[in-house]
Amino acid sequence: MNQMNEQDSDSLDSFRESSAFELAINTAESKVEVLEILHEHVLSEEAFTNRFPVLAKVAQELPDVPDETAPPA
């Protein structure tokens, strides 16, 4: 009987899937990219903010769109 992640969405049930999700958010270069990731995981912005407040803060600090003119860091 698996009760560990009953409240999580199906796409983020496993540790591996949630780790990949967190990595994708942490490596996103723009808010647009974050929205695409949320869409892939069928997760609303509100649910994302409520379930992953630290990642939501990271996402809020990203530019709206990738800055292709910026030199690589």
Side-chain angles (χ1 to χ4, degrees), residues 6-69:
E6 282 184 5
Q7 294 179 1
D8 290 348
S9 71
D10 291 339
S11 65
L12 295 174
D13 268 346
S14 79
F15 177 74
R16 179 184 296 160
E17 289 170 348
S18 64
S19 293
F21 173 76
E22 289 181 31
L23 179 63
I25 297 296
N26 281 317
T27 58
E29 296 180 5
S30 69
K31 291 177 184 173
V32 170
E33 194 173 331
V34 170
L35 291 175
E36 291 171 358
I37 295 164
L38 296 182
H39 180 73
E40 289 173 16
H41 289 275
V42 191
L43 195 63
S44 71
E45 289 179 65
E46 182 179 357
F48 171 62
T49 302
N50 291 336
R51 290 179 54 198
F52 303 97
V54 173
L55 288 177
K57 184 169 175 54
V58 168
Q60 284 178 337
E61 295 173 359
L62 293 172
D64 290 335
V65 293
D67 184 1
E68 295 179 12
T69 61

